[in-house]
Amino acid sequence: MIMAETIAQVRQSVLEWKKAGKSVGFVPTMGCLHDGHMSLIRKAREENDYAVVSIFVNPTQFGPGEDFQKYPRDLERDSEMCRAVGVDLLFAPPAGEMYPEPGLTHVDVDKISSGLCGDFRPGHFRGVATVVCKLFNIVRADRAYFGEKDAQQLRVIRRMVRDLNIPVEIIGLPTVREKDGLAMSSRNTYLSGAERQAALVLVNSLRRAEELIRNGERAADKIAGAIREIIQREPLAALDYVAVVESETLAPLEELAGEVLVALAVRIGKTRLIDNMAFKI
Ligand code: AMP
């Protein structure tokens, strides 16, 4: 496995592979890898001749007072995991390589960057879209792999790629969960024992929504209300939002129809967690 810290190293390897007519799959991450990341990486390995993973805790997608400083970092463990699964190149640049000077150019994906997490994390999706655009220009992959866990992020990136004609195919993969249903997340490492238990309200409330929908409930406010009630019953949990939206545009729905996304963000103590489920009505 090639360990690259510079853009030039990445470009050189990818150029060689491309010259040989080989395909490249790319998985951008912030590290502290878990099975959710690994499912993307395995898919990238399977579907391409070469697999590239990036690990970069991108400062521009964190707001003031968010967890940029304390975000878990363990490059040694991450690189072992990447090596074990057959990653060809791991790109882990220092911040100065990605941002030698503050950027004056940003990617803003209107509309779908607002609502849901966009309302609680101003500037977050601008930071994400900009860094992912930079990474796409550096790696020039044929395919890039993202998790449905970050549903809004995935939609923002799909739209950016479409609007800006970026020559990469975006592949979204299902959320990987712990045995008890908690969506895997690097931020789960922040949770105390009691908080880890309390964090189950996210998946449990979504499962309640699933049950209501299966039983024929089509009123979005009833679905959102049921979720809110379950979150409120957990003393360690505080709801940021619950959204019942059209899956692609993220436009709010009154009546469930077509492709529907039910998404929520909940603070468990100081840790902010997100989860979602998609339904075809
Ligand atoms: P992160 O390192 O949290 O920025 O995530 C990197 C990629 O892994 C993103 O595309 C995430 O959506 C994806 N990801 C994170 N958690 C999961 C999960 N539990 N299941 C599937 N994909 C995930």
Side-chain angles (χ1 to χ4, degrees):
M1 184 173 78
I2 301 166
M3 294 274 279
E5 286 195 359
T6 68
I7 293 165
Q9 281 172 290
V10 179
R11 285 198 196 286
Q12 198 198 326
S13 295
V14 174
L15 193 66
E16 279 169 26
W17 299 338
K18 290 260 167 121
K19 268 193 196 147
K22 304 294 187 188
S23 63
V24 179
F26 175 41
V27 183
T29 82
M30 298 205 300
C32 189
L33 302 180
H34 51 65
D35 273 352
H37 298 115
M38 298 320 276
S39 78
L40 308 182
I41 296 172
R42 281 193 204 98
K43 199 65 160 183
R45 283 285 307 119
E46 257 170 56
E47 293 186 347
N48 304 276
D49 297 311
Y50 289 96
V52 175
V53 172
S54 67
I55 294 183
F56 181 60
V57 184
N58 172 39
T60 70
Q61 71 189 67
F62 288 80
E66 289 189 356
D67 56 345
F68 173 67
Q69 294 299 339
K70 71 163 190 180
Y71 196 85
R73 291 161 171 92
D74 192 344
L75 187 56
E76 209 165 306
R77 177 179 160 278
D78 288 347
S79 53
E80 270 322 302
M81 288 171 77
C82 286
R83 201 188 305 275
V85 68
V87 169
D88 297 286
L89 188 148
L90 177 60
F91 178 44
E97 180 72 6
M98 292 298 285
Y99 300 106
E101 57 196 329
L104 298 181
T105 309
H106 307 281
V107 181
D108 281 313
V109 183
D110 288 347
K111 292 201 171 127
I112 42 180
S113 294
S114 353
L116 290 79
C117 286
D119 289 351
F120 291 84
R121 306 187 70 189
H124 170 67
F125 288 114
R126 164 188 268 210
V128 168
T130 304
V131 81
V132 171
C133 184
K134 282 163 71 72
L135 288 166
F136 284 168
N137 285 332
I138 293 164
V139 177
R140 295 177 55 231
D142 298 278
R143 300 182 189 86
Y145 298 80
F146 292 85
E148 278 287 356
K149 152 91 174 5
D150 298 272
Q152 190 171 14
Q153 168 175 284
L154 173 56
R155 282 142 187 80
V156 164
I157 286 162
R158 277 195 204 287
R159 189 59 201 240
M160 170 184 81
V161 162
R162 204 164 99 205
D163 285 349
L164 298 183
N165 306 94
I166 301 177
V168 62
E169 182 188 349
I170 303 300
I171 291 147
L173 294 177
T175 301
V176 176
R177 298 177 180 280
E178 303 284 357
K179 275 204 183 70
D180 61 6
L182 179 67
M184 288 193 183
S185 163
S186 307
R187 291 191 166 98
N188 292 348
T189 58
Y190 297 147
L191 301 171
S192 70
E195 288 173 343
R196 171 66 183 72
Q197 202 52 36
L200 287 174
V201 282
L202 283 95
V203 66
N204 287 341
S205 66
L206 286 169
R207 284 177 174 161
R208 175 67 186 141
E210 183 178 35
E211 185 179 54
L212 289 171
I213 293 168
R214 206 181 320 114
N215 291 339
E217 183 58 67
R218 295 291 177 265
D221 60 345
K222 291 274 168 41
I223 304 291
I227 290 179
R228 229 173 255 126
E229 207 180 297
I230 291 172
I231 306 296
Q232 273 162 8
R233 280 208 300 266
E234 171 50 62
L236 296 179
L239 185 69
D240 265 3
Y241 70 81
V242 50
V244 181
V245 295
E246 199 283 316
S247 182
E248 211 43 50
T249 60
L250 305 180
L253 291 174
E254 280 180 19
E255 285 282 303
L256 277 66
E259 307 276 346
V260 175
L261 184 78
V262 180
L264 77 167
V266 178
R267 280 167 288 121
I268 306 287
K270 289 196 165 93
T271 305
R272 186 174 183 280
L273 300 177
I274 56 173
D275 202 350
N276 68 79
M277 276 187 196
F279 301 95
K280 200 174 168 65
I281 308 294

